[in-house]
Amino acid sequence: MIQIVCSIVTALSTVLILVQLFLTERGNKKHHEEMRRIKTVEIMENWSKSLQRETSFAEKIVEGFTPEQCRALYFKEPFELDIKKGKAICQICTEGECNRIEKKCENCMQGDKFRLEGAQLSEFRWYVIGYLNMLESVMTAWKLKIVDSEEIENQFQYLYNPEKGWNALEPFREAAGGENAYPNIAEFMTRLCEKRKKPARDKKNL
């Protein structure tokens, strides 16, 4: 009889321990999810604050660069681009021969081309690298899963648009060293590419 009672007590104790472990794990999971949501909001706020006029404008300009122009920009080698892009750069750069005053931009024009060089090239490059460094920090949080991964993917899905040629400045990232330079951006862009292809595959299988 005593043995039976001991067995029952042992069984009940085991059940109670398991229930306690379950509740603790559920509580920890709930806390973890709450912290991830908070961290996601913080990351998005920091990202929005980092997007100054210059960095946003520089990113849009470089999206239209050729791989050769991106390579020259990364290695700070003077290069030519069309007048429209050159004038756009003059609107955000304040140093060197060219600045916000459009008349001074004429000094950089050679026929129908615009030559980017010197202090202006360095300043423009600094804006581009600043943009990518901040983006890499966001994607590091995504990679480590300390944020809501799905929400980050939804918020940044605009970065990948093959129809418009958008891929988070891929030619510039390649010039900088590719995946070795910005590994988490590269992985994130692969993820967006896969998600974009998935609906097409699902539709094909119907």
Side-chain angles (χ1 to χ4, degrees), residues 1 5 9 17 19 21 24 32 45 68 70 75 87 94 100 113-114 118 143-144 155 162 183 192 194:
M1 184 68 178
V5 171
V9 171
I17 291 173
V19 170
L21 289 173
T24 300
H32 178 65
E45 287 180 347
E68 292 74 20
C70 287
F75 288 102
K87 287 185 176 181
T94 58
R100 296 178 189 277
K113 296 295 183 180
F114 183 99
K143 169 72 173 180
L144 295 175
Q155 292 293 329
L192 292 185
E194 292 173 349

Side-chain angles (χ1 to χ4, degrees), residues 2-204:
I2 295 177
Q3 186 176 1
I4 295 176
V5 171
C6 289
S7 298
I8 293 174
V9 171
T10 301
L12 288 174
S13 298
T14 302
V15 170
L16 288 174
I17 291 173
L18 290 174
V19 170
Q20 185 177 12
L21 289 173
F22 172 77
L23 292 175
T24 300
E25 182 180 356
R26 188 171 67 174
N28 289 338
K29 185 177 180 180
K30 183 178 180 180
H31 176 71
H32 178 65
E33 290 300 321
E34 182 179 352
M35 293 304 297
R36 287 207 310 165
R37 287 193 292 270
I38 293 173
K39 193 63 179 177
T40 301
V41 173
E42 291 178 354
I43 288 286
M44 293 305 302
E45 287 180 347
N46 291 336
W47 170 254
S48 297
K49 291 176 182 178
S50 74
L51 289 180
Q52 300 176 354
R53 174 181 178 276
E54 291 82 2
T55 53
S56 296
F57 210 13
E59 182 267 336
K60 290 292 181 288
I61 295 171
V62 176
E63 283 286 11
F65 277 13
T66 65
E68 292 74 20
Q69 289 172 330
C70 287
R71 180 176 175 81
L73 178 61
Y74 179 75
F75 288 102
K76 294 191 284 188
E77 299 171 350
F79 64 97
E80 293 183 343
L81 57 157
D82 63 66
I83 296 294
K84 184 177 180 180
K85 289 188 179 70
K87 287 185 176 181
I89 291 174
C90 276
Q91 292 180 28
I92 61 174
C93 292
T94 58
E95 297 183 17
E97 294 182 358
C98 301
N99 59 18
R100 296 178 189 277
I101 303 175
E102 188 169 328
K103 183 178 291 186
K104 289 192 176 182
C105 280
E106 296 176 1
N107 297 330
C108 300
M109 297 179 189
Q110 299 179 358
D112 60 345
K113 296 295 183 180
F114 183 99
R115 186 171 178 79
L116 186 61
E117 59 186 356
Q120 189 186 33
L121 187 154
S122 296
E123 183 180 1
F124 183 69
R125 177 182 181 276
W126 183 78
Y127 289 136
V128 175
I129 289 182
Y131 171 85
L132 286 174
N133 286 345
M134 185 60 196
L135 184 59
E136 177 71 8
S137 69
V138 174
M139 297 315 154
T140 299
W142 168 81
K143 169 72 173 180
L144 295 175
K145 300 185 184 302
I146 61 176
V147 293
D148 187 323
S149 299
E150 185 175 353
E151 184 61 25
I152 293 296
E153 290 169 18
N154 290 335
Q155 292 293 329
F156 287 89
Q157 62 181 332
Y158 69 89
L159 291 174
Y160 181 75
N161 189 321
E163 289 80 11
K164 295 182 178 180
W166 296 353
N167 195 339
L169 308 186
E170 183 180 27
F172 186 87
R173 289 188 285 113
E174 286 298 321
E179 294 184 7
N180 292 328
Y182 298 100
N184 296 319
I185 292 178
E187 184 172 341
F188 185 78
M189 300 312 292
T190 299
R191 170 61 178 162
L192 292 185
C193 179
E194 292 173 349
K195 289 183 69 174
R196 192 180 181 90
K197 291 179 179 178
K198 188 175 184 299
R201 289 198 300 267
D202 293 343
K203 186 176 181 180
K204 185 177 180 179

